[in-house]
Every structure is written in C-alpha cells, then in structure tokens.
Amino acid sequence: MEWIDAKTILSGYSKSNPWFGCHYNMNLYKGCSHGCIYCDSRSECYHIDNFDTVKAKKDAINILERELRGKRRTGVIGLGAMSDPYNPFEKDLKLTRKALEKIAKYGFGVAIATKSNLILRDMDILLEIKKRAPVLIKITITTADDELSKKIEPRVNCSSSRFEVINEMSEIGIFSGILMMPVIPFLEDNENNILKIIKKANESGAKFIYPSFGMTLRQNQRVYFLKEIEKIFPGMCQKYIDQFRTNYNCKSPKATELFDIFKKECEIHGILYRMKDIVERYQSDYGEKQLSFL
C-alpha cells in the first residue's frame, strides 16, 4: 500500500448522470488488490500505474469535508467506479467509513459498488445516511459458482458471501442489488449461470440486477486478461482472439438469447433490471429539492 497526494476527492456536480443517478463520484483509493482478471480499470486510459498496488489519498477526509461543506447542491455520491472502496487496507485505515460519516453529516446520499463483505461494518452509517438521502448498494456478482469466482476474482470473498451481504442489507431496509457485469464470454454466458444468479438474488432480497452480457478488452487490460485466462484455462486465450480480434466491446455471442431469458425471469420475481427503474425506485422517497439544495 502507498500514499499519494490529492487535491480533490469529489468530481463536479452532474444533474443528469445516467449511471445509477449519481451526482458526484468519489475515489479515496487508486488501484485495487482484489486481482479480478477482467477489471477494465487496468486500461491505460485511466492512468493507474501498478494497478494491483493500492494507493490511499493523503489527507482525504479533510479534503472531502472541505468539498462537501462548499457544495451548493447535495445529491448522491458514487463510490467504487474505479477502485473498490472496501479493499483489505480499508479494514484498518477506515477512509471509506470516515468519508461516509462526513457524507451523513452534510446530508448527501451514496451509491456504493463493491465485492467485499467489509461493507457490512458500515451498516450503521448507511442507515444514518438513509434518514436524509438515498442509499444504493451494488454488489458485483458475475457467477453463481464459488469455485469459478475464486479463479477469476482470487483475492476477494466469493460469490456466496456476496449474496449474504445483499441479504443482510435487505433485511435492514437498505436498497441493494447486483451488478452482473461483466458476464464473461465462454465462461459465464450460459443459461444455467444466469438462472442461478437470479434465483439466489431473489432468495437474498435483491431489488435489482443490472447486467452486461459481455466484457471490455482494451490496451493493457486485454494483455492482462488474456495472460491470466490462459493460466487458468489453457487454450482459452486463442478462443478470445479468434472471436473478438482487437475489439473493445466483446459482446457474448449469446447476449440476445440470454437477455430474453434474464428479462423474463426477473419479471417473474419482481426484480428490477432497467437503469431508469432502479434509479426511480431507490430515490423515490427523496424529492428533487431534498436531493439538490443544502
């Protein structure tokens, strides 16, 4: 783990960000140690050197409080877009927890994406935030198979543990669901996997599943993924090269068929899957005035 300088923590205000209705984004860390072989944040365009080394931002909480205090508009702050806010170092550093305390203090909402069950530590603060502003928890799950999960996401808790996180969040009334992305072609893009995820999501009380039937491959992310997939599944690398060449968007050949199955099953169980519906539901108890003005 390393410490790096930072001038800002929050992004500028966006009124119409379609990605889960976030108005701001916040990154307290750069890089991630989970080791997920498919992570798009390895791409050169994000300028994160030595991605597997976690870097924490110096004086992050003081900078964040100054920025929160100076904002004319409140709103929902997104966490986890680039680096998981609950990496292993968070257990001791507590930067994410301290940031959530400031967010609660100034009346902002949060939309958190993570794979880690460490988020359960902060349920008390999430409930405090929820009194005044929206709270959305997005747990990334791409396979229902723990053994596959351990291979492609080697240094983070497995899928079954993440379903338990959703269950605990749902039981205390926090709006939680699944980021089912990326669904990796040739490994996870099969009907059995999709139906199992939906079944377990329903049993866990998930309110939504937001899918992507495919993945991205670009720059050094592509190099890393192909190298790792060949280690895990010898001979598989060539299959990706033959199918996708140098394409950035690597859509599953079964995407249309799987989405039809996915949509039907979600509707049977009352699980949301459209972005617009998810945003409207989790923000439904908070009016525009409450979200926008201090």
Side-chain angles (χ1 to χ4, degrees):
M1 208 281 292
E2 300 174 359
W3 290 95
I4 57 174
D5 294 325
K7 294 181 179 179
T8 62
I9 300 297
L10 288 181
S11 67
Y13 180 84
S14 173
K15 184 176 181 179
S16 57
N17 183 353
W19 188 251
F20 289 99
C22 294
H23 303 93
Y24 301 94
N25 278 300
M26 177 177 79
N27 286 293
L28 301 163
Y29 298 96
K30 292 184 73 174
C32 185
S33 57
H34 290 338
C36 305
I37 67 171
Y38 51 75
C39 185
D40 182 66
S41 294
R42 294 181 185 278
S43 300
E44 291 175 6
C45 59
Y46 298 119
H47 307 294
I48 303 177
D49 297 328
N50 302 316
F51 182 78
D52 294 284
T53 299
V54 175
K55 297 101 175 169
K57 296 182 178 180
K58 295 177 184 177
D59 203 30
I61 305 306
N62 287 332
I63 296 171
L64 174 63
E65 179 156 31
R66 183 171 67 246
E67 291 180 323
L68 291 172
R69 192 169 54 235
K71 296 297 182 185
R72 295 184 60 239
R73 295 174 180 265
T74 58
V76 176
I77 298 173
L79 290 78
M82 294 292 298
S83 302
D84 198 312
Y86 289 98
N87 63 72
F89 301 99
E90 169 60 22
K91 185 174 182 179
D92 294 323
L93 293 178
K94 298 182 179 179
L95 291 184
T96 298
R97 181 173 177 85
K98 292 172 185 176
L100 291 176
E101 290 172 343
K102 300 300 182 185
I103 288 168
K105 175 181 176 181
Y106 290 97
F108 288 73
V110 291
I112 303 175
T114 185
K115 294 186 179 81
S116 174
N117 58 6
L118 183 56
I119 192 175
L120 295 174
R121 177 199 65 187
D122 295 338
M123 289 194 296
D124 58 332
I125 308 176
L126 295 173
L127 286 173
E128 189 63 29
I129 293 171
K130 187 174 179 287
K131 292 177 182 178
R132 297 172 61 190
V135 174
L136 174 71
I137 304 302
K138 302 169 285 179
I139 305 297
T140 300
I141 301 174
T142 68
T143 176
D145 182 347
D146 279 355
E147 293 308 309
L148 179 57
S149 171
K150 290 172 185 177
K151 290 176 181 177
I152 63 175
E153 304 156 333
R155 295 189 294 276
V156 67
N157 48 296
C158 60
S159 294
S160 59
S161 176
R162 292 177 230 168
F163 283 112
E164 291 171 9
V165 171
I166 295 169
N167 186 60
E168 292 197 42
M169 289 289 180
S170 298
E171 284 186 347
I172 64 171
I174 292 178
F175 195 94
S176 305
I178 294 171
L179 283 178
M180 195 175 73
M181 58 173 61
V183 175
I184 303 177
F186 314 129
L187 288 181
E188 302 173 327
D189 59 340
N190 59 80
E191 181 176 347
N192 182 56
N193 182 47
I194 302 308
L195 292 178
K196 278 187 176 180
I197 290 176
I198 297 171
K199 181 177 183 291
K200 291 184 178 183
N202 185 54
E203 292 169 349
S204 302
K207 300 296 189 296
F208 67 92
I209 304 173
Y210 191 71
S212 176
F213 294 99
M215 64 185 301
T216 60
L217 286 176
R218 60 181 165 188
Q219 302 155 328
N220 51 329
Q221 175 207 6
R222 173 186 296 276
V223 174
Y224 185 86
F225 174 79
L226 293 178
K227 179 185 70 174
E228 294 301 312
I229 206 70
E230 188 65 18
K231 288 180 186 176
I232 301 167
F233 302 102
M236 181 72 79
C237 174
Q238 191 61 45
K239 197 168 185 177
Y240 288 93
I241 294 171
D242 292 344
Q243 178 71 35
F244 301 116
R245 306 293 179 181
T246 57
N247 292 344
Y248 165 57
N249 289 309
C250 302
K251 186 178 180 181
S252 165
K254 303 176 183 177
T256 301
E257 169 193 341
L258 289 175
F259 182 76
D260 289 342
I261 294 168
F262 168 81
K263 176 183 174 182
K264 180 180 178 180
E265 200 68 17
C266 283
E267 289 176 349
I268 288 172
H269 294 292
I271 296 174
L272 303 174
Y273 57 89
R274 296 185 182 93
M275 181 67 72
K276 180 176 180 291
D277 296 336
I278 297 167
V279 173
E280 286 181 356
R281 184 73 62 84
Y282 94 89
Q283 294 186 0
S284 61
D285 293 333
Y286 307 90
E288 176 67 20
K289 182 176 180 181
Q290 191 171 356
L291 280 172
S292 297
F293 298 98
L294 290 170

